[in-house]
Amino acid sequence: MTYPDRPRQDGAGYDDGAWPSADAAWTPSQQGSAYPAHAGAAHTAPLPAPHVPAPAAYPEYADSTGPAQAAYPERAPAAPDTAAEAPAPRAKPGRDRYLDLLRAVALVRVVVFHLFGWAWLTVLFPSMGVMFALAGSLMARSLARPAVSVIRSRLRRLLPPMWAFSLVVVPVMFALSWKPVREEGLWWFIKLGSYLFPLGSPPYPEESGSTGGWLELSWADQAAGPLWYIRAYLWFVLASPLLLKAFRRLPWVTLLAPIALTAVIGTGLVTVPGTFGEGLVDFAVFGSCWILGFAHNDGLLKEIPRYLAVSSAAIVMGFGLWWASGHLTEEGWNLDEIPLAQATWSLGFCAILLVYAPSWQKLPGKLAGWDSLVTLANNRAVTIYLWHNLLLMAAAHLVDELWSVPWLGDTFGTYIEQSYEVLVLIAIWPLIGLAILAFGWVEDVAAKRRPRLWPNGAGRTRRA
């Protein structure tokens, strides 16, 4: 069983969350003219009634923003030259359940990958690229409001769940005899501040706990692993106002610039040392996915002929696989360890997902049976991501205890050994449920919502 915390070069060991936002996902079809004209004109033009926004289809997710303004007004169709046309009502704001489904799948894939360590999962579904693309789309939508208020809102939602995590993990590190590094002096304490505001990589003891104990020697490394995503997300949030302006002025240049940066600093051609270098590689590797989210929000992907978009994405993905084939590590086809392959494969993969993106107000068909779990995963994405590594270790210890149970260990010991990782996979989900109950409410408080223990949308369904 493996618990890869992050790639050695690009820091992608998880994925990630998510994307940590409770915003309502806005679809491109909801943009543009706020009051499209009716086809039939009346003899006299009625005065438009004051607009009262329709209630969000999923109020527990609802953001305070309205629909995004047309990012490219020069591309908007000209309004018909008649004064007799009455305004049509806006589409209802609400969750795009297709995007919610993608985020939930990404989270499950992260957990499964960190348990089994199957490298091919990074090719089958690049979770981190998907989550950054979804988060970029939501960020672009929110930036219809003043940038300062949007950044403040994002930080408020992102940091408190991390503080709750740090409040548990960091004291345990100190309790297990973690001490400042004398050679680093004051700098060590400054880096410790990354547990409060993660602009850099937080420090942790390389070895802590005890061999065979409940906290094994590498537990601190595993616990701190998911924090790279929080750092990368924070960098993207702070840079988004400038990135969005650049994208709307030079879309293709801005979209592909992170790929070019990855080709320079992610391949060893130029090395940027220290934690800043690690953060810069993460920013470059997933930057194009984040900016692709801008394109999705602004509706630009719909302007490109589908055959051209898909064929171009396939070429980019093909390059990613070709590059990976020549730069395999000891983990094989683990794209998390091959930055340029991760960047290009994720970009092409996410482009296809978003080009074919339907707009679902409800999950269709058999997927509807998963609605409550998808809702829960999206409401507690940060909590699930932050805690899953520690919970995987706890699940493994619980399975280990089966050998100590009288009669059970002697009778079924061989079967327990053969199905060990499957048993851990079964045990992890109740533990994640307990983490949601214990810490998930912090996400509600951070978003200025009423705290909820199990926000799976069931109450909403009953009210409906």
Side-chain angles (χ1 to χ4, degrees):
M1 177 172 54
T2 60
Y3 300 100
D5 52 346
R6 51 164 289 122
R8 303 300 177 266
Q9 297 295 329
D10 65 352
Y14 68 127
D15 128 351
D16 69 86
W19 80 94
S21 170
D23 288 344
W26 205 263
T27 59
S29 62
Q30 293 168 302
Q31 297 188 44
S33 175
Y35 296 94
H38 283 300
H43 292 289
T44 58
L47 292 175
H51 172 64
V52 179
Y58 298 88
E60 65 270 24
Y61 293 97
D63 189 12
S64 59
T65 63
Q69 300 299 317
Y72 304 90
E74 68 276 10
R75 302 183 187 183
D81 187 16
T82 173
E85 292 167 339
R90 295 183 186 182
K92 278 189 177 183
R95 296 296 295 190
D96 186 326
R97 300 300 277 169
Y98 173 73
L99 303 186
D100 286 347
L101 179 64
L102 290 181
R103 188 178 292 106
V105 171
L107 283 170
V108 172
R109 203 284 281 160
V110 166
V111 173
V112 173
F113 173 69
H114 284 179
L115 171 59
F116 293 97
W118 294 329
W120 54 266
L121 284 175
T122 64
V123 178
L124 179 66
F125 195 88
S127 287
M128 301 322 302
V130 170
M131 291 197 292
F132 279 118
L134 300 182
S137 180
L138 292 175
M139 188 67 186
R141 175 220 165 183
S142 294
L143 282 172
R145 294 183 287 145
V148 173
S149 66
V150 173
I151 292 175
R152 186 189 306 117
S153 173
R154 284 293 186 275
L155 295 183
R156 189 187 70 241
R157 296 181 179 196
L158 178 68
L159 296 180
M162 177 185 171
W163 294 341
F165 177 80
S166 301
L167 192 61
V168 173
V169 170
V170 176
V172 175
M173 293 179 183
F174 282 111
L176 296 176
S177 303
W178 185 37
K179 297 179 180 179
V181 180
R182 291 183 179 181
E183 292 77 9
E184 295 192 32
L186 180 62
W187 179 242
W188 186 89
F189 292 95
I190 294 176
K191 291 198 300 183
L192 195 63
S194 293
Y195 284 102
L196 297 177
F197 198 79
L199 285 175
S201 299
Y204 53 86
E206 292 185 5
E207 290 188 356
S208 182
S210 60
T211 304
W214 276 93
L215 291 176
E216 61 186 52
L217 290 178
S218 65
W219 80 269
D221 183 24
Q222 303 300 331
L227 298 182
W228 80 265
Y229 176 81
I230 306 298
R231 179 192 64 201
Y233 187 93
L234 178 62
W235 281 37
F236 282 124
V237 166
L238 296 177
S240 280
L242 292 178
L243 288 176
L244 187 58
K245 287 182 180 180
F247 172 74
R248 287 174 175 170
R249 184 177 295 270
L250 298 170
W252 289 106
V253 173
T254 308
L255 178 65
L256 298 177
I259 299 293
L261 181 60
T262 304
V264 174
I265 67 174
T267 61
L269 186 63
V270 173
T271 301
V272 181
T275 59
F276 176 77
E278 293 177 359
L280 190 60
V281 170
D282 294 338
F283 187 86
V285 168
F286 297 105
S288 289
C289 291
W290 186 275
I291 295 169
L292 183 69
F294 294 172
H296 172 258
N297 176 78
D298 289 357
L300 291 187
L301 296 179
K302 302 298 182 183
E303 297 183 5
I304 305 173
R306 182 171 290 181
Y307 76 89
L308 180 60
V310 173
S311 58
S312 299
I315 292 173
V316 173
M317 295 170 69
F319 171 83
L321 291 182
W322 171 79
W323 181 266
S325 68
H327 297 81
L328 299 179
T329 68
E330 60 183 12
E331 297 184 28
W333 286 85
N334 183 358
L335 299 188
D336 290 345
E337 300 288 347
I338 314 170
L340 186 57
Q342 174 78 289
T344 50
W345 178 263
S346 295
L347 175 61
F349 192 95
C350 293
I352 293 175
L353 287 180
L354 295 180
V355 163
Y356 281 98
S359 182
W360 291 340
Q361 292 298 313
K362 297 180 180 179
L363 293 176
K366 294 182 179 180
L367 291 175
W370 298 90
D371 183 83
S372 61
L373 290 178
V374 169
T375 300
L376 180 65
N378 278 268
N379 270 321
R380 294 295 180 257
V382 183
T383 299
I384 294 170
Y385 187 76
L386 282 174
W387 290 93
H388 80 275
N389 261 6
L390 283 176
L391 297 178
L392 279 170
M393 287 187 284
H397 280 294
L398 289 177
V399 174
D400 289 340
E401 291 300 310
L402 292 178
W403 274 288
S404 303
V405 178
W407 179 79
L408 182 65
D410 295 335
T411 307
F412 297 100
T414 302
Y415 298 102
I416 294 174
E417 183 177 358
Q418 292 175 347
S419 58
Y420 183 82
E421 290 176 331
V422 175
L423 293 174
V424 174
L425 183 62
I426 295 172
I428 182 63
W429 304 114
L431 293 180
I432 287 178
L434 291 176
I436 288 173
L437 293 173
F439 304 104
W441 57 270
V442 177
E443 294 193 52
D444 289 329
V445 174
K448 295 184 176 181
R449 291 193 300 260
R450 176 181 56 82
R452 298 162 296 171
L453 290 179
W454 198 256
N456 65 348
R460 179 202 71 235
T461 303
R462 287 193 296 267
R463 288 192 300 269

